[in-house]
Amino acid sequence: MLVYLFRFLSIFPLPLLHAVGAALGWLVYLCSSSHRRHMRTNMALAGYTQHLSAAIAEAGKSIVELPFIWCASPQRVSRLANAENWELVQNELDAGRGIVFLTPHLGCFEIVAQEIALRTELMVMYRPPKQEALKPLVEGARARKNLLLAPANMSGVRMLAKFLKKGQPIGLLPDQVPQEGEGVWADFFGRSAYTMTLPAKLARMGDATVIITYAERLPGGKGFIVRFVPFDGTLDGDTAEQARAINAAMERLIARNPAQYYWSYNRYKVPAGIDAPVAAEEQA
């Protein structure tokens, strides 16, 4: 039933979907205390409280645009997406170097892999959604031409490493809270966040170039700009230093468009089996 609903909604133009999404964002914010608490707390911590109203609307847009991103034809979606600084990527591809694309939960992150896959093969790590009803939608959206899926386990990590060593690009979400044993505590906007170590490990293992990318949502439903940004940090040092360097790069990227970050995500939760960081036992 959900698949049919999404296919029906994908028929509508993006400006209408974004208008409905902005209203939905406010409805969810007013009705969900946990959603409201996470947004307000995380934005205050990062110093972006002045963007709260815009962020509420953008959060709603990120939900209602999914039928369009997942179910509309790739050609129709691509007509509303423009790639900025693609030559940065093409230079690495032409040189035969592997690329680790890091895509945080900023803007329309679901469209990024699709746009890359229109130009080159890409392997992304995939963790099935907890809601069983969403699996056909998500898997159908991501299992497209040139877009290869690696499971979120050791087998998938080996697939990603092998693909990268062949000089081909992979994609990861660097600001997703990892499971036990897959991360370290690293500062993110002034508070310790359990941060995955896999991006740095894969980049160093495959001697790959790290490129940060996100899709800025344009006002009025006019589409998206998929931006490719050089990673300006260093992955030297131990795993904690590497994780902090990636978090710092994410902070600088979010500063470009703070209203479109996924602030309601509980980025500071303590995963099961992990001890809370020193002086941060209150995190939950």
Side-chain angles (χ1 to χ4, degrees), residues 111-168:
I111 202 176
V112 173
Q114 292 186 24
E115 285 302 299
I116 295 172
L118 289 175
R119 297 163 173 83
T120 184
E121 267 196 328
L122 174 70
M123 182 177 289
V124 298
M125 179 164 277
Y126 170 69
R127 192 185 303 276
K130 294 179 181 179
Q131 296 85 358
E132 194 68 24
L134 286 176
K135 285 185 66 176
L137 283 168
V138 178
E139 292 176 0
R142 293 177 179 171
R144 299 191 178 193
K145 181 182 178 182
N146 281 345
L147 189 53
L148 311 175
L149 305 180
N153 53 34
M154 284 308 300
S155 173
V157 172
R158 287 192 289 269
M159 289 172 61
L160 290 168
K162 184 178 180 181
F163 202 70
L164 198 58
K165 288 179 179 179
K166 290 165 57 179
Q168 295 175 288

Side-chain angles (χ1 to χ4, degrees), residues 113-279:
Q114 292 186 24
E115 285 302 299
I116 295 172
L118 289 175
R119 297 163 173 83
T120 184
E121 267 196 328
L122 174 70
M123 182 177 289
V124 298
M125 179 164 277
Y126 170 69
R127 192 185 303 276
K130 294 179 181 179
Q131 296 85 358
E132 194 68 24
L134 286 176
K135 285 185 66 176
L137 283 168
V138 178
E139 292 176 0
R142 293 177 179 171
R144 299 191 178 193
K145 181 182 178 182
N146 281 345
L147 189 53
L148 311 175
L149 305 180
N153 53 34
M154 284 308 300
S155 173
V157 172
R158 287 192 289 269
M159 289 172 61
L160 290 168
K162 184 178 180 181
F163 202 70
L164 198 58
K165 288 179 179 179
K166 290 165 57 179
Q168 295 175 288
I170 65 170
L172 297 167
L173 291 169
D175 57 345
Q176 195 167 35
V177 178
Q179 297 177 346
E180 179 183 0
E182 298 175 356
V184 294
W185 291 106
D187 185 86
F188 184 63
F189 286 120
R191 187 178 179 186
S192 291
Y194 197 61
T195 303
M196 64 171 61
T197 57
L198 184 60
K201 288 179 180 177
L202 287 172
R204 289 171 64 89
M205 186 187 309
D207 192 25
T209 299
V210 176
I211 296 177
I212 306 171
T213 179
Y214 73 106
E216 180 182 343
R217 190 178 297 113
L218 298 177
K222 294 178 181 177
F224 311 91
I225 299 178
V226 183
R227 303 188 189 276
F228 297 94
V229 182
F231 175 65
D232 56 359
T234 175
L235 296 181
D236 297 332
D238 60 20
T239 53
E241 291 171 319
Q242 294 166 5
R244 173 54 193 150
I246 289 176
N247 280 352
M250 296 304 106
E251 292 172 358
R252 291 189 289 272
L253 198 72
I254 293 165
R256 294 177 170 216
N257 199 332
Q260 293 191 16
Y261 189 61
Y262 186 28
W263 295 108
S264 61
Y265 180 54
N266 190 5
R267 182 68 182 87
Y268 301 102
K269 68 181 177 181
V270 179
I274 298 296
D275 293 331
V278 177

